[in-house]
Amino acid sequence: MQIDLSLKIADDGDDQSEGKGEEEQEQEEEGIEDKEKEKRKDQEDGFDPIEEGQKEEDISPVRKPLPENFKSDELCELEEEMNRMKKENEVLRKVVEQTMNDYHDLQIKFAAIRKNAQDNSFLSLGSKEEADKRTLQLVLAPNGNEIDDGKELGLTLRLQPQYEEEEKIKNTDVYDHKFDQKGSVTATTRSSPPTANRKARVSVRARCQTPTMNDGCQWRKYGQKIAKGNPCPRAYYRCTVAPGCPVRKQVQRCLEDMSILITTYEGTHNHPLPVGATALASTTSSTTPMNFTLSEDQDHLLSNATTILDTTSTAPHFLSSYYSSPYLRNSTTSSHYSPFNEHIINSSKYLWTPPSTSSSDLGRSGRSYRFSDQYWGSDKLKWGGKDEEKSVAESVGGIMAVASAINSIIDKEGQAA
DNA sequence: CGTGTTTGACCTGCGC
DNA sequence: GCGCAGGTCAAACACG
């Protein structure tokens, strides 16, 4: 067995089969590479203009040992590129600042409007009529970019009286389109009219290319129907995590925007939820303790959402801010406490936990599906890959958990009345 | 062969 | 009571 060492001269040093002397050389080279990495990292971290000048000085001595030809040409290109990136950074920073300012203005205006429109108590357990009037909205934008971007995802959580919703359905057979035009997910928890039997029902609107949203639960399709007024078929799914689980969901494309998926969850789980399915913690019994976990991806989404609505980094803060402006600027805190959290915990025994990873890719078949004479490709082939899919799913899960918590509150309220 | 989907038939509730 | 629409069932089928 022969090894042609002559070929190793130009090697990058990854091959472990080299001789001892070469290993030492590798270590030296790795040392240089480590320094280079640190310097590159310094360059990449240079977001703060205050520190940029300092880092510029730190970097310069490092470049001296570089080869002459590299220094003259590529170094100049790198510097030019760096300057360009700095300028882009400045521009982006201004955009973010502007967005934040706009948001705060809107927040203030909205708080004033709300104050006039209804009493100040947040989701108080007062009269059912009052509760029915309350509307809760959560808007997320994972990319923080243009809303018209196809990949943009917004989340809207709405609490709305069921009889109003049903009136809309009667008229149009599609839900409120108010938020559709900006690529949003809308979660609507329905509370029935005061006299009707209340049944947990959460509707989620999502701009989604896949046939269904991955919410972490396992579902079995048991039917499909063309609903009046919407040529897109409505699919019926049943939870199969545990036998006899009564939870069902309906999935239908929005008539006016085929890219929007309307998913309606109904019922109460009779089993512990799989990790990542905290989404449907939602419709679960309010007496069942459960964890609402945010994955890193979801936290990322929520963090980015701050460019639109808040400077907070978690859903609970985000929600609380909507109702209570003093919590708006608690952006730097890592605490998950908010009056909203407390309310949910006290009312529904939900536990908000710090971000952690969660898995969710259950029950996917990877096949093609037909929607109104259109074929929607495999889940995994579209929607920008697994990570994005996961993020969306988990975000939807989060919003649904919140929606369900509200549902539980309403249910309790109904029982108490 | 087990699991999930498809799809026509059937059931149920509601308005007239 | 009738018709309509939404929801569900279950046999047939597809897929891995």
Side-chain angles (χ1 to χ4, degrees):
Chain A
M1 180 177 169
Q2 291 183 341
I3 302 176
D4 185 0
L5 293 177
S6 64
L7 295 175
K8 305 286 184 183
I9 294 172
D11 204 326
D12 60 4
D14 288 340
D15 194 339
Q16 296 299 320
S17 65
E18 293 177 14
K20 199 172 184 178
E22 288 175 348
E23 284 180 1
E24 290 173 357
Q25 190 177 347
E26 280 175 29
Q27 288 175 356
E28 291 179 7
E29 289 173 357
E30 285 174 1
I32 295 172
E33 285 180 4
D34 287 342
K35 289 178 183 176
E36 289 287 337
K37 284 178 185 174
E38 288 178 9
K39 290 156 198 166
R40 268 186 244 127
K41 189 181 176 185
D42 286 343
Q43 285 177 303
E44 290 170 1
D45 290 342
F47 286 114
D48 192 337
I50 300 172
E51 296 178 6
E52 278 173 3
Q54 179 64 35
K55 280 171 182 169
E56 195 79 28
E57 292 176 8
D58 293 343
I59 292 166
S60 56
V62 179
R63 293 171 179 164
K64 286 177 182 177
L66 291 173
E68 204 58 38
N69 55 346
F70 179 85
K71 186 177 180 180
S72 57
D73 296 333
E74 298 189 28
L75 186 58
C76 288
E77 290 178 8
L78 284 173
E79 283 178 348
E80 287 176 7
E81 191 171 349
M82 234 176 88
N83 288 333
R84 274 203 310 274
M85 294 183 77
K86 282 179 188 174
K87 288 176 183 175
E88 287 177 11
N89 238 349
E90 290 281 333
V91 173
L92 288 173
R93 190 185 303 258
K94 286 175 183 175
V95 170
V96 170
E97 285 175 4
Q98 182 62 42
T99 304
M100 291 306 301
N101 289 336
D102 291 346
Y103 163 64
H104 288 310
D105 290 344
L106 286 173
Q107 188 73 32
I108 292 169
K109 288 176 184 175
F110 179 78
I113 292 170
R114 271 195 63 83
K115 204 169 187 177
N116 294 334
Q118 57 190 50
D119 65 50
N120 294 329
S121 60
F122 163 60
L123 283 179
S124 77
L125 301 180
S127 75
K128 281 178 275 182
E129 287 184 2
E130 287 173 351
D132 286 341
K133 288 177 183 173
R134 292 192 174 86
T135 297
L136 176 66
Q137 295 183 342
L138 169 63
V139 177
L140 302 179
N143 297 330
N145 297 329
E146 301 84 21
I147 236 62
D148 289 333
D149 187 334
K151 292 181 178 178
E152 180 71 17
L153 171 69
L155 293 177
T156 305
L157 174 64
R158 309 182 67 218
L159 179 61
Q160 209 170 38
Q162 183 172 3
Y163 48 86
E164 287 180 9
E165 276 291 297
E166 286 174 350
E167 280 301 313
K168 289 176 186 173
I169 295 170
K170 279 183 183 176
N171 294 333
T172 64
D173 200 49
V174 290
Y175 296 165
D176 190 306
H177 299 136
K178 190 172 180 180
F179 306 97
D180 295 350
Q181 307 307 318
K182 292 185 177 181
S184 67
V185 170
T186 302
T188 304
T189 61
R190 292 185 182 180
S191 60
S192 306
T195 55
N197 272 343
R198 286 158 186 264
K199 193 170 186 179
R201 196 161 186 177
V202 179
S203 179
V204 179
R205 302 169 61 83
R207 189 176 292 281
C208 179
Q209 301 290 327
T210 58
T212 65
M213 285 186 298
N214 175 19
D215 47 32
C217 272
Q218 285 180 290
W219 302 93
R220 177 187 169 85
K221 189 176 184 178
Y222 66 89
Q224 182 168 300
K225 198 85 175 178
I226 302 284
K228 189 184 177 184
N230 191 342
C232 305
R234 178 181 297 166
Y236 300 91
Y237 294 86
R238 185 174 290 145
C239 178
T240 59
V241 173
C245 180
V247 175
R248 295 170 185 192
K249 76 171 179 179
Q250 300 175 9
V251 179
Q252 186 175 31
R253 290 273 157 193
C254 178
L255 174 62
E256 299 193 357
D257 188 345
M258 300 288 281
S259 65
I260 293 174
L261 200 64
I262 302 168
T263 308
T264 304
Y265 298 85
E266 183 175 326
T268 300
H269 288 284
N270 65 352
H271 55 82
L273 291 171
V275 179
T278 49
L280 291 181
S282 46
T283 49
T284 318
S285 165
S286 61
T287 59
T288 304
M290 60 191 64
N291 292 323
F292 172 55
T293 55
L294 295 174
S295 70
E296 288 181 5
D297 289 340
Q298 188 171 12
D299 197 40
H300 174 65
L301 291 180
L302 293 166
S303 298
N304 282 333
T306 63
T307 59
I308 288 186
L309 273 191
D310 203 349
T311 56
T312 58
S313 60
T314 63
H317 279 290
F318 199 64
L319 286 164
S320 68
S321 70
Y322 186 82
Y323 280 91
S324 165
S325 55
Y327 295 91
L328 263 179
R329 298 169 198 281
N330 289 343
S331 57
T332 54
T333 177
S334 60
S335 166
H336 285 249
Y337 172 83
S338 76
F340 186 77
N341 293 10
E342 186 181 54
H343 189 86
I344 289 176
I345 291 170
N346 290 339
S347 304
S348 318
K349 295 182 181 177
Y350 276 74
L351 297 173
W352 301 99
T353 60
S356 64
T357 55
S358 65
S359 65
S360 59
D361 195 23
L362 303 171
R364 316 308 296 281
S365 64
R367 302 177 197 165
S368 292
Y369 296 79
R370 187 174 56 209
F371 270 96
S372 180
D373 297 327
Q374 284 186 332
Y375 277 88
W376 298 79
S378 162
D379 310 24
K380 304 187 188 280
L381 295 179
K382 296 196 172 184
W383 192 250
K386 284 185 181 177
D387 289 343
E388 190 169 0
E389 180 185 14
K390 183 182 170 187
S391 298
V392 171
E394 288 169 353
S395 296
V396 170
I399 198 170
M400 286 178 55
V402 175
S404 66
I406 297 165
N407 239 338
S408 298
I409 294 168
I410 294 170
D411 287 344
K412 281 204 163 188
E413 178 185 337
Q415 290 169 5

